[in-house]
Amino acid sequence: MDRKTQLMKIFSVHIRELLTALPMKFDQLQEIRLRAGRPLMLLYDNEERLIGDESGFVTEMSQAYRVSAQEIQETMTFISHYSIYAYEEEIRQGFLTIQGGHRIGLAGKVLSDQKGIRSIRPITFLNVRLAHQVQGCADSLMPWLYENGRPCHTLILSSPGCGKTTMLRDVIRQFSNGCKFGKGRRVGVVDERSEIAACYRGVPQNDVGMRTDVLDACSKVRGMEMMLRSMNPEVLAVDEIGSREDLQAIESVINCGCRLLATAHGDSVEKLELRPALQKMVERKVFERYVILDRRKKIGHVEAILNADRDYLYQNDRCHLCDDGMRGNGTGCREILSEAH
């Protein structure tokens, strides 16, 4: 079964028919939004699209097909394989990961007590975010992430929607498998929101490398501690750091000699310093590389790379190291960074 057919099977019958009939390329489909009583919408090729009833894409709201609450419940029945109560733990977290690595965001009436959120019932809003792994997207970045054949402590920065998790995933894969700039390393991934490896029943749906171990749906702080104790990683990867608790766990990682690979929201190192925990990391020079992404040319475009002293190594498609022709370890940058030019 191909990935498109596999995904379409989760939707209610009529919505499945509408989506299957659309004239679109599956690899450009990013999100499918179902809202009770509201139009059926897609994010397709970075543009929001409305879906008509048996008429493909439409431009007017009045022409759009409106999703019923019953269709959302039917969709949830298919997603949960007719046993929605078996997914209560995931529902409490507000998302599910399904086969293929696709992530489904959930919203609706929240039921809670003194212990916290018990469930979401009824679920009246769904956001199906399609998993599109882009293998090789970090190829031009990898030369900058090594010193003397060893991975650098690296923080990938971007605003939402600029591809930092996609880039993180491919860096993990290449650190794990090895590349011409360094040998393969044991990588531990703490996948708090199931977005990096996209595990389904514990098995990664994305290729995160042959030496990679994953703690799925585990908090970053607890997960980093567990990984260090149990799996002996050489590189530890997490997504979207920023809390004081994260700082304490990260210090443990650094002190153990493990290399850190992480992401954070922000479009500059200066913006990081507005957040107390991240400011301390910058001041203590925890990270040896800051990679800043934007979507000026495409999603995941590398805008700049900085070192621990916040000196630019690369900016606006220009290598700053070429001005003197040398890299910090005495190797001519044109020789080892050819793919980045």
Side-chain angles (χ1 to χ4, degrees):
M1 186 186 303
D2 62 40
R3 294 180 71 244
K4 179 178 179 180
T5 302
Q6 183 185 68
L7 178 67
M8 292 302 146
K9 288 174 70 68
I10 72 168
F11 293 100
S12 64
V13 174
H14 187 53
I15 290 177
R16 185 187 311 169
E17 292 171 349
L18 293 176
L19 293 172
T20 302
L22 290 173
M24 63 180 180
K25 297 179 180 179
F26 186 72
D27 61 357
Q28 295 181 20
L29 180 58
Q30 296 159 276
E31 293 183 357
I32 303 171
R33 293 269 187 173
L34 279 65
R35 301 177 173 98
R38 297 291 186 267
L40 177 60
M41 304 176 74
L42 305 180
L43 183 63
Y44 178 70
D45 195 20
N46 296 320
E47 292 186 10
E48 197 172 70
R49 304 286 188 94
L50 296 172
I51 311 303
D53 189 356
E54 301 180 1
S55 57
F57 293 120
V58 296
T59 57
E60 299 296 328
M61 193 75 71
S62 59
Q63 301 173 325
Y65 179 77
R66 291 182 178 269
V67 179
S68 69
Q70 182 178 351
E71 287 176 312
I72 291 179
Q73 296 311 306
E74 185 180 349
T75 298
M76 281 302 302
T77 298
F78 292 145
I79 290 170
S80 63
H81 305 287
Y82 298 90
S83 181
I84 195 167
Y85 292 102
Y87 289 81
E88 282 295 342
E89 181 59 36
E90 290 91 340
I91 290 171
R92 276 197 291 270
Q93 297 180 48
F95 67 89
L96 298 166
T97 301
I98 63 173
Q99 191 170 8
H102 311 298
R103 177 185 168 98
I104 302 175
L106 314 170
K109 176 67 174 179
V110 173
L111 305 178
S112 59
D113 54 25
Q114 291 94 342
K115 295 181 180 180
I117 295 174
R118 290 191 291 112
S119 187
I120 302 175
R121 198 177 302 152
I123 295 168
T124 47
F125 305 88
L126 297 177
N127 177 24
V128 181
R129 297 178 61 184
L130 277 70
H132 292 301
Q133 183 168 12
V134 186
Q135 291 195 1
C137 66
D139 284 355
S140 64
L141 180 61
M142 297 310 294
W144 304 90
L145 304 188
Y146 286 88
E147 288 287 354
N148 298 317
R150 189 177 186 187
C152 297
H153 297 297
T154 299
L155 182 64
I156 300 173
L157 303 171
S158 84
S159 301
C162 289
K164 62 180 177 297
T165 302
T166 301
M167 187 69 77
L168 172 69
R169 185 184 300 121
D170 201 52
V171 174
I172 290 168
R173 182 184 66 85
Q174 298 204 44
F175 276 165
S176 177
N177 290 343
C179 63
K180 67 182 183 180
F181 304 104
K183 68 178 184 179
R185 303 279 180 165
R186 297 184 305 276
V187 181
V189 175
V190 181
D191 201 356
E192 186 170 28
R193 298 177 303 164
S194 303
E195 283 191 304
I196 304 171
C199 289
Y200 176 70
R201 297 180 178 176
V203 179
Q205 302 295 289
N206 291 321
D207 181 0
V208 287
M210 63 182 177
R211 297 179 181 86
T212 300
D213 305 300
V214 181
L215 275 175
D216 183 49
C218 179
S219 72
K220 288 190 289 290
V221 173
R222 181 63 175 153
M224 283 189 272
E225 294 173 353
M226 292 171 64
M227 273 291 182
L228 289 175
R229 285 203 306 264
S230 62
M231 303 308 292
N232 189 28
E234 296 174 279
V235 178
L236 204 153
V238 293
D239 203 8
E240 296 188 6
I241 62 171
S243 71
R244 295 182 186 277
E245 293 77 13
D246 292 344
L247 175 59
Q248 295 175 353
I250 285 168
E251 287 178 338
S252 297
V253 172
I254 302 297
N255 292 335
C256 287
C258 186
R259 316 306 286 175
L260 179 65
L261 174 61
T263 70
H265 286 300
D267 56 10
S268 68
V269 178
E270 289 73 24
K271 293 285 181 65
L272 289 184
E273 295 182 288
L274 300 177
R275 301 161 66 181
L278 291 174
Q279 180 187 29
K280 290 182 179 179
M281 293 185 206
V282 173
E283 290 174 349
R284 296 175 188 177
K285 299 184 179 180
V286 168
F287 295 101
E288 299 167 300
R289 295 290 184 271
Y290 296 98
V291 177
I292 301 173
L293 306 180
D294 64 18
R295 55 194 305 168
R296 181 165 55 89
K297 294 184 176 180
K298 62 179 181 178
I299 293 175
H301 172 256
V302 179
E303 171 65 19
I305 302 170
L306 297 85
N307 63 15
D309 294 318
R310 288 173 280 175
D311 297 323
Y312 282 97
L313 306 179
Y314 176 88
Q315 185 182 26
N316 296 325
D317 303 322
R318 175 175 170 267
C319 174
H320 287 232
L321 296 177
C322 285
D323 291 342
D324 59 14
M326 299 296 292
R327 189 175 165 88
N329 59 12
T331 304
C333 72
R334 288 189 185 277
E335 295 178 10
I336 68 170
L337 302 179
S338 59
E339 291 187 12
H341 289 275

